[in-house]
Amino acid sequence: MKSKFDQVVRAALDVWSSGAPDQKVSATADVLRYVKLADLPGLNLHVLDMQEDSPDRFRIENLIERTDQLREGCRFLGDYPDPIFIRDNVAPVYAAARDSRHPVVDTVEAKANSRYFIYDRLILPEKKTSGRSSWAIGFTLPRLVLPLPIETPKLTARETEVLDLILLGHTAREIAERLELSQRTVEHRILDLRTKYGAKNVTHLTALAVSTRLRGKTEGQ
């Protein structure tokens, strides 16, 4: 998936580079050059009007929204339901692209709206020779989206052992054999883990546990 996004980036940068600066073209007109590149599954395409000084007042228009980004009803970045995520991961990057007038290609790893996610991003600001870009076109492609538990559960040593083996793909019977426990005991431990994480099933438990551990690594950096 990453390599396919890289292809989109290269093609989009070629389109951006081929345009003459200071043409005073609108974002609505310019984005038409990029729409044909946005055919990758899961890829999102949006336009930001960046004429206001405050990034909170940057107006966002979602042209192609293939992945649920919880942006429905958001007219400005300041409307986004997770202001901390916007403050740390979105607003400063778009403001920097506006001021530098240079494209940005990066990968975002963060949590927002009770989810942990990783997504690739391309920002193409209005092409100008001086001053600020007044708008930008953005491509985003989620690579990983996982739910987060409401709070990190406290696990016993045995629960941690069982969970580690679940994450390695072992069944309850296999875990029982490895830990020299009865299968019924392991099943009770798994039920306890599901309760602590608020998981609907083992698959949901796995997603929550992985995202919690990823979040812990990110916050510890």
Side-chain angles (χ1 to χ4, degrees):
M1 187 65 75
K2 174 64 174 174
S3 61
K4 291 182 179 179
F5 184 74
D6 289 342
Q7 292 172 11
V8 172
V9 168
R10 287 193 293 270
L13 288 174
D14 286 344
V15 172
W16 185 87
S17 299
S18 67
D22 305 317
Q23 286 190 314
K24 296 184 178 179
V25 63
S26 69
T28 304
D30 196 57
V31 77
L32 296 177
R33 300 193 298 157
Y34 300 95
V35 169
K36 63 182 180 181
L37 303 178
D39 59 352
L40 192 62
L43 190 69
N44 305 303
L45 176 65
H46 52 267
V47 173
L48 263 77
D49 182 325
M50 305 186 299
Q51 297 184 68
E52 296 285 347
D53 285 336
S54 172
D56 280 349
R57 300 300 296 170
F58 288 178
R59 184 188 294 269
I60 184 169
E61 180 182 357
N62 303 308
L63 301 179
I64 299 175
E65 190 84 348
R66 294 194 179 96
T67 310
D68 178 19
Q69 301 290 291
L70 297 180
R71 284 194 289 247
E72 186 176 353
C74 296
R75 296 176 57 206
F76 302 97
L77 290 187
D79 294 337
Y80 200 83
D82 193 329
I84 296 176
F85 167 73
I86 292 296
R87 182 197 67 197
D88 294 344
N89 300 282
V90 180
V93 183
Y94 273 96
R98 174 196 64 183
D99 297 342
S100 69
R101 307 181 305 280
H102 292 305
V104 174
V105 183
D106 64 358
T107 298
V108 180
E109 184 175 350
K111 62 187 178 84
N113 303 305
S114 301
R115 294 187 293 184
Y116 172 87
F117 55 87
I118 301 174
Y119 69 85
D120 297 312
R121 172 172 60 188
L122 169 64
I123 299 173
L124 299 167
E126 176 191 17
K127 199 169 184 184
K128 299 182 68 175
T129 54
S130 62
R132 289 175 164 178
S133 297
S134 58
W135 49 262
I137 294 164
F139 290 88
T140 60
L141 178 65
R143 278 199 265 163
L144 176 68
V145 180
L146 294 172
L148 285 172
I150 297 174
E151 59 183 31
T152 302
K154 297 186 184 302
L155 306 182
T156 65
R158 181 62 82 188
E159 287 171 342
T160 301
E161 285 181 317
V162 171
L163 182 58
D164 287 344
L165 291 171
I166 289 173
L167 296 181
L168 290 173
H170 292 291
T171 64
R173 182 172 59 82
E174 292 169 339
I175 294 171
E177 291 174 357
R178 280 176 169 263
L179 299 182
E180 298 182 348
L181 299 171
S182 70
Q183 184 170 334
R184 182 177 293 276
T185 298
V186 172
E187 289 170 348
H188 282 310
R189 291 286 185 271
I190 293 174
L191 184 58
D192 290 340
L193 285 166
R194 285 176 50 193
T195 300
K196 286 188 175 184
Y197 275 92
K200 298 176 182 178
N201 49 48
V202 174
T203 301
H204 191 203
L205 170 64
T206 302
L208 290 169
V210 169
S211 61
T212 300
R213 293 185 180 190
L214 288 171
R215 178 180 62 176
K217 288 181 181 179
T218 334
E219 293 176 346
Q221 291 175 349

